[in-house]
Amino acid sequence: NEISETPKANRFKPMVRFIGPFTLEAGGRAKHSVDIPNYVGSVRVMVVAQNKGAYGKAQKTVTVKQPVMVLATLPRLIGPTEELSVPITIFAMEDHVKEVNVEVTTNDFLLLKKKQYSVQFNKAGDQVVNVPIKVAKKLGIGKFKVTARSGNEVSYHEIEVDVRAPNPIIYEGDEYSLEPGEEKSFPISFTGLQGSNRATFEVSQIIPIGLNKRLDYLIQYPHGCIEQTTSSVFPQLFLNQIIELDKKDKDRITSNVKNGIQRIASFQTSDGGFAYWPGNYDSDAWGTNYAGHFLITAEKLGYTVPAQMKSAWVYHQKNAANDVVLTDYNEVTQAYRLYTLALSGNAELSAMNQMRERGGLNNAAKWRLATAYYLVGQKEVARNMTKHLPITDGGEDSYRYSYGSGVRDRSMILESLSLMKDETRSKKLVTELSQKMNSDHWYSTQTTAYTLLGISTYYGTLDSDGGLNYSYGLNKEKLKKVQATSSIHRVMYTDKDFKKKGTIKLKNTGKTKLFVKVVSEGIPLEYDLPKKQNNLQLMLVYRDMDGRLLDPAKLKQGMDFKADVTVTNPGKKGDLTEIALSHLFPNGWEIHNTRLYGGGRNNQIDYQDIRDDRVYSYFDLPSGESKTISIQLNAAYLGKFYHPAVQVETMYDHLINATLPGKWVEVVE
């Protein structure tokens, strides 16, 4: 969620200390004591000195050790109800250490079968103790601490680990209305894992748009091309136009937008445009328009956009605007390009005039071009171009080049109508689009984000008519008064506020009818997806390092093996583009990232994102062809773990996908 904050485990705390500056007289000596936290290994001690512009330095590596030391390891992630053995290594660094007593403590996310252990040593060395644990049925941060004692010698090691389920959020909800003076109670309940549950009610004077669910989808969407990266942050620029935000919300949105600007910079190519994936050499035309639109808008709202990044983008847009050869497939892209140049104060009037005189443009292109004229002050030209223009889309043929849809095109038209103050047609269109956003229908990131942009632009151009006035309370608490100037006001509860069931009471204290949308959401413990093949075929096999097939249901600890996923396009939908393969692995397995060890890039894929517990691979697939993605793995931790479902889909058409269901696997000695 754009205004939620989920704590993350801090697995790797840095051992860094800075002391100084100090003054040391000529010929003088000084001694400093440095407090070292719980740490095993070595540190580098560095001294830098200066005098009147002259500098000197010295450094030395120092081993940090004590007679008894302890080190525990956990997977980077663990899941609810999983079982595993935590290897704890006890180091006796001196011969006089004979017996070490080990004590293990955890928080309530990790359940222990045994807390006390004893280890015997004949001489200096190390021994491993495997501590069995079971993960509780909730989400959050597990804490594991092991303390080793031998006489007066004490050592300890602490680990934090994220407990999370690789399942999607499940939404349940209903809609209500409140007449002036009316009071109603609405039941709410939680069905997800503890730590994942949230209940939200949105109160508005407008048609509900399901804001929370749509924003969640954008921000939690796992794939991150230039379009999706931009879509996750663009609507956040305008949230304050439709919803009441407090300082905490605004600070988080500011941080998200700044991070988005920084992330987009990694997509910029040598010609000033933006590639579809980081590291690609060629610019993506629509992505360059869309990301540039976001950057210019963010800058107008006070965010800092690197001057070099902006000037390189303007240079690219100007060249592309004048060099393009217009076709039925790129006219919306060209019109959008000209719009972004006008928005940035660098309008290309000759290219705009040439496009207008061409004739035969589809509706979406005409609307966007007219808006460019409006931005440069030629308002009559814009109004004449759109006076009798239907508020419809640009036709299906263009969508594969712009990641869009008819709904996306109409949202761009709503943005244009709102900017041009065409209240009659914009009101009609915002009603239609709000109903679509409020439905359970699937929409892509591009369509979702731009529809929220269009709706936000519409409400941002309206004068306030008194705002929202109502009171609310949870269960038996005293009702709290709300007086909000925004179009939507939202209140959120989590399972810290109540356990499983509750009741929200609302009273309309204003003079206008209110719409209420109540949504409960949570992540389930199990999310069983059946095997399916919809215009894509998916096959998964596991092999040992000699290429022999193996059953992953039970693997020996320490063994290396490979997962081979083959994706086939049977050809029913022609050539397929923007395919995303999501391969999630059990927490007890570790991914061997061959790129870190000199392994080359897989030429079959356009981009690959390797994370702690999963690999995302992206590619196009011509009709009748197959691609195999191989991932090397290691069975690292003893225990029983859940292997999530493997999924492949085209990112802009949810009807083309395939799934292999999840299952439980074991790692044994």
Side-chain angles (χ1 to χ4, degrees):
N1 185 279
E2 85 293 349
I3 55 173
S4 68
E5 187 175 73
T6 304
K8 297 294 183 183
N10 187 357
R11 289 296 302 268
F12 307 105
K13 300 177 182 178
M15 176 33 239
V16 179
R17 293 291 183 271
F18 175 81
I19 302 177
F22 303 100
T23 300
L24 190 61
E25 301 296 334
R29 297 170 62 91
K31 184 177 181 180
H32 302 280
S33 296
V34 180
D35 180 26
I36 302 291
N38 185 51
Y39 180 79
V40 176
S42 63
V43 296
R44 182 184 301 174
V45 181
M46 297 169 283
V47 178
V48 178
Q50 76 87 24
N51 181 35
K52 298 179 181 179
Y55 291 83
K57 64 179 181 178
Q59 64 181 29
K60 184 177 181 179
T61 298
V62 180
T63 300
V64 178
K65 67 176 185 177
Q66 57 192 98
V68 175
M69 295 194 297
V70 62
L71 179 67
T73 59
L74 274 169
R76 295 194 176 191
L77 301 167
I78 51 178
T81 73
E82 290 185 339
E83 299 177 15
L84 66 153
S85 291
V86 181
I88 300 174
T89 306
I90 312 299
F91 299 91
M93 306 302 291
E94 298 179 6
D95 288 339
H96 73 268
V97 177
K98 299 300 182 184
E99 182 179 20
V100 178
N101 294 313
V102 179
E103 181 183 13
V104 181
T105 57
T106 62
N107 66 357
D108 55 2
F109 286 87
L110 307 177
L111 309 177
L112 292 169
K113 295 180 180 179
K114 183 180 177 182
K115 297 183 178 181
Q116 304 283 346
Y117 298 85
S118 181
V119 181
Q120 306 296 322
F121 287 91
N122 295 321
K123 60 180 179 178
D126 60 84
Q127 293 190 42
V128 176
V129 175
N130 285 308
V131 176
I133 64 171
K134 184 171 183 177
V135 186
K137 192 178 177 180
K138 55 184 177 180
L139 305 182
I141 297 176
K143 295 187 178 183
F144 185 95
K145 180 178 180 179
V146 54
T147 304
R149 292 183 174 86
S150 179
N152 294 326
E153 303 293 344
V154 180
S155 178
Y156 70 93
H157 186 215
E158 293 178 287
I159 304 178
E160 290 185 352
V161 60
D162 287 312
V163 180
R164 74 183 191 194
N167 298 325
I169 297 174
I170 302 300
Y171 296 88
E172 297 176 349
D174 213 335
E175 296 174 25
Y176 310 89
S177 63
L178 284 174
E179 298 294 339
E182 188 177 6
E183 182 178 299
K184 283 185 180 179
S185 294
F186 313 113
I188 50 176
S189 61
F190 291 145
T191 58
L193 287 161
Q194 184 180 336
S196 73
N197 292 306
R198 195 170 62 177
T200 305
F201 65 89
E202 298 173 9
V203 180
S204 65
Q205 293 174 315
I206 63 176
I207 298 172
I209 59 175
L211 183 64
N212 232 51
K213 180 179 177 180
R214 296 298 179 180
L215 281 170
D216 281 351
Y217 168 67
L218 291 175
I219 294 169
Q220 297 170 7
Y221 191 73
H223 312 302
C225 68
I226 187 64
E227 182 277 318
Q228 294 146 1
T229 298
T230 305
S231 289
S232 69
V233 289
F234 208 158
Q236 297 185 56
L237 290 176
F238 299 102
L239 276 181
N240 64 339
Q241 294 186 12
I242 58 174
I243 193 168
E244 200 88 1
L245 299 172
D246 60 22
K247 183 179 183 303
K248 203 172 185 180
D249 298 337
K250 292 176 182 177
D251 289 344
R252 287 172 183 160
I253 289 171
T254 298
S255 176
N256 290 344
V257 172
K258 287 180 177 178
N259 290 338
I261 293 171
Q262 186 176 5
R263 164 79 173 162
I264 287 172
S266 68
F267 290 83
Q268 194 157 37
T269 57
S270 59
D271 65 2
F274 296 105
Y276 190 72
W277 293 111
N280 287 7
Y281 297 110
D282 298 326
S283 299
D284 179 83
W286 190 267
T288 298
N289 289 341
Y290 190 44
H293 185 186
F294 162 74
L295 294 173
I296 296 303
T297 305
E299 187 177 60
K300 289 178 182 292
L301 293 174
Y303 291 92
T304 300
V305 175
Q308 179 60 36
M309 179 167 70
K310 178 185 172 183
S311 62
W313 171 81
V314 171
Y315 176 80
H316 170 90
Q317 292 292 82
K318 283 179 168 287
N319 286 341
N322 290 300
D323 292 345
V324 70
V325 177
L326 282 175
T327 69
D328 292 342
Y329 300 110
N330 67 11
E331 57 189 23
V332 178
T333 302
Q334 170 70 348
Y336 192 17
R337 181 182 293 122
L338 295 170
Y339 168 86
T340 63
L341 284 169
L343 186 69
S344 69
N346 298 278
E348 282 291 319
L349 284 172
S350 61
M352 289 167 60
N353 292 335
Q354 182 181 6
M355 187 172 188
R356 180 160 64 105
E357 293 166 3
R358 176 176 182 263
L361 299 177
N362 67 46
N363 290 338
K366 288 179 184 177
W367 274 106
R368 193 77 333 197
L369 182 60
T371 314
Y373 277 107
Y374 191 89
L375 291 177
V376 298
Q378 297 190 26
K379 297 183 179 181
E380 276 307 306
V381 172
R383 292 191 180 102
N384 289 333
M385 288 179 65
T386 59
K387 189 175 182 180
H388 302 293
L389 192 60
I391 51 176
T392 54
D393 52 76
E396 292 294 333
D397 288 343
S398 64
Y399 296 151
R400 65 171 295 183
Y401 301 98
S402 67
Y403 320 111
S405 65
V407 174
R408 192 282 312 275
D409 281 0
R410 292 195 289 281
S411 299
M412 296 183 80
I413 293 169
L414 173 60
E415 181 187 34
S416 299
L417 288 168
S418 302
L419 293 173
M420 295 183 194
K421 310 292 185 182
D422 188 331
E423 294 183 11
T424 302
R425 289 194 288 180
S426 62
K427 186 174 183 179
K428 178 181 178 181
L429 198 49
V430 78
T431 300
E432 175 197 338
L433 294 173
S434 296
Q435 290 170 341
K436 290 184 179 297
M437 282 292 101
N438 194 41
S439 71
D440 292 329
H441 194 280
W442 176 91
Y443 292 108
S444 71
T445 50
Q446 171 73 186
T447 296
T448 302
Y450 219 107
T451 305
L452 293 178
L453 284 179
I455 293 172
S456 299
T457 303
Y458 170 80
Y459 286 109
T461 59
L462 296 181
D463 295 327
S464 174
D465 58 356
L468 301 167
N469 291 275
Y470 72 97
S471 299
Y472 74 94
L474 174 65
N475 294 331
K476 296 181 180 180
E477 69 181 19
K478 184 179 178 181
L479 295 185
K480 302 174 185 177
K481 293 182 179 180
V482 172
Q483 289 181 307
T485 58
S486 59
S487 300
I488 301 174
H489 187 264
R490 177 175 53 179
V491 177
M492 187 184 304
Y493 294 109
T494 70
D495 45 21
K496 292 181 181 179
D497 300 304
F498 66 95
K499 294 300 180 185
K500 290 291 183 181
K501 294 183 179 181
T503 301
I504 296 173
K505 183 182 290 185
L506 294 178
K507 182 176 182 179
N508 184 350
T509 58
K511 298 180 180 180
T512 58
K513 183 178 181 178
L514 295 180
F515 298 95
V516 183
K517 186 174 180 71
V518 180
V519 178
S520 296
E521 58 189 87
I523 298 175
L525 174 62
E526 295 185 358
Y527 187 70
D528 295 327
L529 291 173
K531 181 177 180 179
K532 59 182 179 181
Q533 313 267 357
N534 297 325
N535 303 303
L536 273 176
Q537 295 173 359
L538 183 61
M539 184 178 71
L540 168 63
V541 296
Y542 288 96
R543 302 180 187 274
D544 63 21
M545 299 310 292
D546 294 322
R548 293 185 294 264
L549 291 173
L550 58 83
D551 184 356
K554 188 171 288 188
L555 300 174
K556 286 193 174 183
Q557 185 184 29
M559 77 173 294
D560 291 322
F561 59 104
K562 292 191 301 181
D564 291 341
V565 179
T566 301
V567 182
T568 301
N569 176 4
K572 294 179 181 179
K573 293 286 186 176
D575 295 344
L576 299 177
T577 59
E578 286 91 39
I579 294 175
L581 170 65
S582 303
H583 197 168
L584 282 66
F585 297 100
N587 292 318
W589 299 359
E590 287 189 346
I591 299 168
H592 184 79
N593 189 345
T594 56
R595 292 181 300 186
L596 297 177
Y597 308 99
R601 176 178 172 176
N602 187 337
N603 292 326
Q604 291 197 87
I605 56 180
D606 299 322
Y607 184 71
Q608 193 170 63
D609 184 359
I610 301 176
R611 305 189 184 184
D612 289 342
D613 64 335
R614 63 194 65 191
V615 177
Y616 295 123
S617 302
Y618 308 94
F619 49 90
D620 298 336
L621 195 56
S623 176
E625 294 191 11
S626 300
K627 287 188 178 181
T628 298
I629 313 299
S630 295
I631 305 295
Q632 187 173 332
L633 303 153
N634 178 268
Y637 292 90
L638 294 171
K640 184 179 179 182
F641 307 95
Y642 185 68
H643 190 318
V646 181
Q647 296 177 279
V648 64
E649 63 181 350
T650 51
M651 293 186 290
Y652 298 97
D653 187 345
H654 73 300
L655 298 178
I656 303 175
N657 57 65
T659 301
L660 296 177
K663 58 184 177 181
W664 286 90
V665 298
E666 289 184 87
V667 177
V668 298
E669 292 186 272

